[in-house]
Amino acid sequence: MPGAPVDLAAALEDAKREAQMLRGELEETNRGVLALYAELDAQADQLREATALKSRFLAYMSHEFRTPINSMRSITRLLLDRVDGPLTEEQEKQVTFIQQNAAEFAEMVDDLLDLAKVEAGRVEISPAWFEMVDLFSALRGMFKPVLTNPAVHLVFEEPQDIPKLYTDDGKLSHILRNFISNALKFTPKGEVRVSARLEGPGRVTFSVADSGIGIASEFHHTIFQDFSQVHSQLQKRLRGTGLGLSLSKQLAQLIGGTVRLESEPGKGSTFSVTIPTHLEDARPA
C-alpha cells in the first residue's frame, strides 16, 4: 500500500503533538499542586503562630487576673472573720456573694492557665508511686468544705484490689476534681459516687457517677471540647468557661489515658478516666 508510510508518519506526528499537550497539561497541574502545597504550608504556619499567640495571651492574662482575684478573696475572708468588726446580716450576705464569685472567677482563670500550658507543651509529667486510699482521702478532704447542699451526698467507695499506681497523681487528681465539681454542680439532689476498678491487665478506671440532670446524646460528642456547655435551665443559672472537661481530656492523654461519658437526661451521668497503672513514659509532655 503506497500511502501507508505517509499515514503512519501523520499518525506518529499527531501522537507526538498529543503527548506534548498532555505533558504541558501535566506540568501545569504539577505547578498548581506545588502552589497549593505552598499555600497550605503558609496557612499551617499562620495557624501554628495564631495558636501560640493565643496560648501566650491566655497565660499572660491568667497571671494578670490572679493578683486582683487573690486580693478580693483575702479581703472577703478578713471581713467574714470579723477582723475589722462585726457585720450586719445584709453585709455578710453581700460579702459572701463577692467571695463566691471570686472563687468562681479564680477557678475559670486556673482552667485557662492550665489549658494554655497544655497547648504550649509546657506541662511536666511527674510520676510517682502512691496508694489509691491516699488519693481518695485527699479528695474527700478537699471537697468537704464546699458541700453546702444537704440534699447531695458525696460518696467515695473503698478501693478493692487496686495495686499501687505509678503515674502523675497531681494530673489524676485534677481530672477527678473537675469530674466531681461538675457532678456536684449539676446534681440538685441525690448523690455523687466516686469509685475505681481494675480494667483488664495494667489499667484502672476511675468513675464519677451522679444522679443529676443528665446529658442528652446529641451533646456527648462535644462535651469534651473547649468552651463546650450543655444548654439547660440549670446551666443558665451556673457560670463557667466550659474548659474543665476539655482540660481533663488533655491531661488524661498526657498520662496515657482516655475519658468517657455515659449519660441520659433525667438519669444522671458517669464520667470516667482509664489510665495505665504504671506510666512508662516519664518524659515532659
Side-chain angles (χ1 to χ4, degrees), residues 69 72-73 96-111 185 237-241:
I69 292 173
M72 291 168 57
R73 299 181 75 180
T96 302
F97 177 76
I98 295 172
Q99 185 185 52
Q100 291 172 349
N101 278 269
E104 290 178 3
F105 197 12
E107 184 180 341
M108 295 179 192
V109 169
D110 287 340
D111 285 344
K185 187 184 296 184
R237 301 198 304 268
L238 299 169
R239 289 180 295 275
T241 59

Side-chain angles (χ1 to χ4, degrees), residues 33-64:
V33 170
L34 290 175
L36 179 60
Y37 273 121
E39 184 178 352
L40 290 174
D41 285 340
Q43 291 179 354
D45 290 338
Q46 292 174 359
L47 180 60
R48 282 191 290 269
E49 184 178 356
T51 301
L53 287 173
K54 184 196 75 172
S55 298
R56 288 200 294 271
F57 172 77
L58 289 176
Y60 174 78
M61 292 306 299
S62 300
H63 278 298
E64 291 300 309

Side-chain angles (χ1 to χ4, degrees), residues 1 3 25 30 44 60-61 68 71 74 87 89 97-98 136 148-149 153 182 185 208 213 221 227 242 269 278:
M1 299 177 60
E25 291 176 359
N30 285 338
Y60 174 78
M61 292 306 299
S71 299
S74 299
L87 299 175
E89 183 178 348
F97 177 76
I98 295 172
F136 278 13
T148 56
N149 184 358
H153 301 282
N182 207 58
K185 187 184 296 184
V208 177
I213 62 175
H221 70 288
F227 305 104
S269 306
H278 188 279

Side-chain angles (χ1 to χ4, degrees), residues 101-152:
N101 278 269
E104 290 178 3
F105 197 12
E107 184 180 341
M108 295 179 192
V109 169
D110 287 340
D111 285 344
L112 284 170
L113 184 58
D114 290 334
L115 185 65
K117 287 180 179 178
V118 171
E119 290 184 346
R122 299 194 344 257
V123 177
E124 292 286 336
I125 304 300
S126 304
W129 291 101
F130 66 94
E131 293 280 2
M132 278 289 311
V133 177
D134 297 332
L135 175 64
F136 278 13
S137 177
L139 288 171
R140 188 183 294 110
M142 192 178 304
F143 280 95
K144 188 175 181 180
V146 300
L147 291 174
T148 56
N149 184 358
V152 180

Side-chain angles (χ1 to χ4, degrees), residues 108-238:
M108 295 179 192
V109 169
D110 287 340
D111 285 344
L112 284 170
L113 184 58
D114 290 334
L115 185 65
K117 287 180 179 178
V118 171
E119 290 184 346
R122 299 194 344 257
V123 177
E124 292 286 336
I125 304 300
S126 304
W129 291 101
F130 66 94
E131 293 280 2
M132 278 289 311
V133 177
D134 297 332
L135 175 64
F136 278 13
S137 177
L139 288 171
R140 188 183 294 110
M142 192 178 304
F143 280 95
K144 188 175 181 180
V146 300
L147 291 174
T148 56
N149 184 358
V152 180
H153 301 282
L154 178 58
V155 180
F156 287 86
E157 291 186 1
E158 197 69 24
Q160 299 292 332
D161 303 322
I162 305 292
K164 267 190 171 184
L165 301 181
Y166 182 76
T167 188
D168 191 322
D169 60 333
K171 303 295 184 297
L172 177 59
S173 176
H174 197 150
I175 295 168
L176 294 178
R177 289 202 311 271
N178 285 342
F179 285 175
I180 296 171
S181 297
N182 207 58
L184 291 173
K185 187 184 296 184
F186 295 101
T187 305
K189 62 180 180 178
E191 73 169 21
V192 174
R193 183 172 293 270
V194 186
S195 61
R197 70 178 187 277
L198 286 176
E199 194 81 33
R203 297 188 75 78
V204 61
T205 295
F206 296 85
S207 299
V208 177
D210 65 64
S211 56
I213 62 175
I215 302 171
S217 59
E218 60 263 29
F219 296 111
H220 287 194
H221 70 288
T222 63
I223 198 68
F224 289 103
Q225 295 178 5
D226 292 353
F227 305 104
S228 175
Q229 292 183 327
V230 177
H231 299 289
S232 68
Q233 292 301 317
L234 185 57
Q235 175 71 62
K236 292 177 182 177
R237 301 198 304 268
L238 299 169

